[in-house]
Every structure is written in C-alpha cells, then in structure tokens.
Amino acid sequence: MFKVDYSLKPFNTFGIEVKAQKFARFSSVEELNNLFQEIKAQSWPFLILGGGSNVLFRDDFKGVVLRNEMKGISYSNLNENEVIATCGAGEVWHEFVLNTISEGLYGIENLSLIPGSVGASPMQNIGAYGVEIKDVFHELKAYHIATGEIHTFNKEACAFGYRESVFKRALKNQYVIVEVSFILKKKAELNTSYGAINDELKQAGIDSPTLKDVSDAVIRIRQSKLPNPAEIGNAGSFFKNPVVSNSLAEKIIRAYPEAPVYPLKGDENHKKLAAGWLIEQCGLKGLTLENHGVHKKQALVLVNYGSATGNEIFELSSRVIGEVKEKFGVELEREVNII
Ligand code: FAD
Ligand code: EPU
C-alpha cells in the first residue's frame, strides 16, 4: 500500500530533493478511507499533496504523503444561463479551466495556467487577474478524517478571504477535499478590467475578445512574468501582498509617491501594498545566492536554481521578511505552506 523513502522531488514545484518516509496515491474515497484506517491506527503524521505547487519542504517528511489523483469532470444545468461544473480534486486545475472553455462556459478563464490541483484551489481561494474562485464557487465535498464521513461545504462555510479559507485555519488537517463545484455562465461575461489583460488584448489587435482570447492573454502575461517551474523551481508568490493600516500606507506614499497601493473592498481603514514592490525597493530583486534567490523579473517569487535545500529557501524568506520590516515597518506573511 505504501512506498517507502520515496523521493518527493517530482512532486514539489520548488524541485527540492526530500523524501517521504511513506507515500501512497488515492483515486477514490474508498482508497482514501482504507489508507486512513492504517494511518490512524499507527498515529502516523500525514500530508495531503496535490501538485505540490504551494509547498516548501524544509526536510524529509517523517510520515505519510498522500497524493490526490481523484479524477472526473461533469456538467449539469442549473438554469437557463448557469451550469454547475463539478470536478474531482485530483484534476489539474489548468486542464479543468481549458475543459470549461471548450464547453463555452465563462467564469474561470482569468485563472488560466495557475499550477496545481482542483482540490487545492479552495485551500487558499486561488486568485489572479481580478478573479478569485470564491466568485464562482458553488460547494465542495470533503472527507472528514476523524469520522470517515463526507461533508459538504458551501461558500459561507469555507470562510474564503484573500489567499485564505477555513481549511488553512480552524479546520487545518481535518479534511481532505475530494470534489469541488463551480457555477459558470453560458452567456458572455468577460472580466478584462484588470489592466494587463486589456493591454495584452490591445497589443494582439483584439477588439471583441472571446473566452479563449482572454484565457490566451492571461497565459501570455503569466508566461512573461513568472518562472516556469519545469525550468526554475518556484512556488509562485512566496509572500502575500500585505494589508496595512491607512496611516502606514500614507507614510509610505509620502516617502515613495510611486508606491503601488490598492483599496480594499468594504474596508476603509486598511490598504493593500504590493509585496513585490517592497522587496524590490530593498534591493533584493534578482538577488542570487549559490543555488537559489529572488527571481529577476518578479521579486515576490523565490527560486531554486537547482540544488537548494528547503532550509536555504526558508532562510532567504526570513531575510526578505526582516529587510522589508526594517525598511518599511511592514510584516510580510508567507503564502507558501511550510512543511
Ligand atoms: P499543493 O502544493 O499540493 O498543496 C497546497 C496545500 O493544500 C498543502 O497544505 C496541502 O496539504 C493542501 N492540499 C492540497 N490538496 C488538498 C486536498 N485535496 N484536500 C486538503 N488539503 C489539500 N496561486 C494563486 O492563488 N494565484 C496565482 O496566480 C498563482 N500562481 C502561481 C504560479 C506559479 C508558477 C506557481 C508555482 C504557483 C502559483 N500559485 C498561485 C500557487 C499554487 O498554484 C496554488 O496555491 C495551487 O492551488 C496549489 O495547488 P497544489 O495542488 O499544487 O497544492
Ligand atoms: N512589482 C514590483 N516589483 C516586482 C514585482 C511587482 O514593483 O518585482 C509591482 C508591479 O509593478 C505592480 C505590483 O507590484 O505594480 C503588483 O505586481 P503584479 O501585478 O505582478 O502582481 P503581484 O501582486 O506581484 C499577485 C498575486 C499573483 C497573481 C497576480 C496577478 C499575490 C501574493 N500574488 O501578484 O498570484 O498571479 O497578482 O493577479 O497576491 C500566487 O499567489 O502565487 C500568485 C502568483
């Protein structure tokens, strides 16, 4: 049932060479349940892994790594203009997005090319280019580890926030997400208000974009900005964009009038800053240590150039947090899950 001392290098996009003491795959609730009978009987620590694109392993994992391979995509009509798209948690997110596009359904095209699995998408309410999954989320089904029951969570129960959900907080390590469903639209409803998308469409000479045009534009923007994990190990943004008090934001703008500062919907007392900008101002963009560093084009992304250890990358992240705190008084929070 379990593989022993199994290399996790192909299973984390940082490409860190670590081993799992035990490793198993599951592609149904029944298999998952059987695995957990043993894990609970032996009190083994466990980790659920999808695409490994939002984790940093600091060391070998002394327990069981369970790789989610639950597949299947289906559609059902909700009403004249809306369809419920239901997807197994082990499907690759981008392939699911492409599938919805080929069905002519609107809603997640701005989230094209985000790495990872569908099952992890609610964990941090993935987002990009003006859309988060909470905007189209219907419900999810999750395996309750303590009882073996399947529980259904609606949007409210997931407590979604910016790169947040109840599964990262109060219910951490209590559930395995097995299926997620989204409400998508049949009629054209594109969201190209995010500046970079409009610029990209204009550059391509497209006046009335189709669903596929928007997806392709997002893919091109992402490919131009973010390192491809198949070439350079990384986990996307290493830190969240920080939310700070208005007074701290104003202090920073007084010193740096060009600083990117964003309003927060429904919160007049705080502003969001761009972590990438803060890190760049500290002179850290492109910093290259022996085998890892801060990406040259996007300071929010830490990279492994080949043989870095998880601890080296973690230490670099602590240095970044320290330097940003010292220069700006802003405390960056890691987005990547540290294992
Ligand atoms: P993993 O890394 O395997 O797991 C992440 C966490 O979720 C872990 O704690 C794991 O235990 C838990 N988990 C995974 N699956 C399940 C499950 N089924 N049930 C319970 N817990 C589970 N994110 C964005 O939001 N927006 C972006 O634009 C974006 N761009 C990225 C670009 C690059 C190049 C990379 C490498 C990453 C990017 N990310 C982005 C981060 C990442 O793609 C997302 O967080 C993604 O959802 C992670 O999916 P995964 O399957 O790889 O999760
Ligand atoms: N910036 C810099 N220097 C840098 C990087 C960014 O000055 O090195 C500035 C940019 O000029 C811009 C601002 O910071 O004014 C924001 O940059 P960008 O639009 O590239 O987005 P981001 O805030 O760095 C966020 C998400 C990404 C998501 C993009 C697009 C977070 C933590 N990151 O990045 O998500 O793809 O917006 O919507 O919210 C991820 O979560 O892993 C991720 C990649």
Side-chain angles (χ1 to χ4, degrees), residues 243 246 260-273:
V243 172
N246 280 346
V261 175
Y262 310 103
L264 283 173
K265 253 189 231 161
D267 180 351
E268 288 178 1
N269 300 318
H270 295 88
K271 297 275 185 297
K272 197 189 265 186
L273 306 177

Side-chain angles (χ1 to χ4, degrees), residues 119-125 133 137 139-144 151-160 163-180 337:
S121 66
M123 292 297 295
Q124 68 159 11
N125 176 29
I133 64 150
F137 181 85
E139 62 181 31
L140 64 78
K141 291 195 176 3
Y143 173 87
H144 186 221
H151 294 169
T152 301
F153 289 76
N154 64 15
K155 196 191 307 197
E156 204 183 7
C158 291
F160 289 127
R163 297 294 190 272
E164 279 296 345
S165 77
V166 71
F167 301 103
K168 272 181 83 174
R169 300 281 166 191
L171 300 182
K172 193 175 162 81
N173 287 334
Q174 292 185 37
Y175 282 92
V176 182
I177 296 168
V178 295
E179 185 183 280
V180 191
N337 298 279

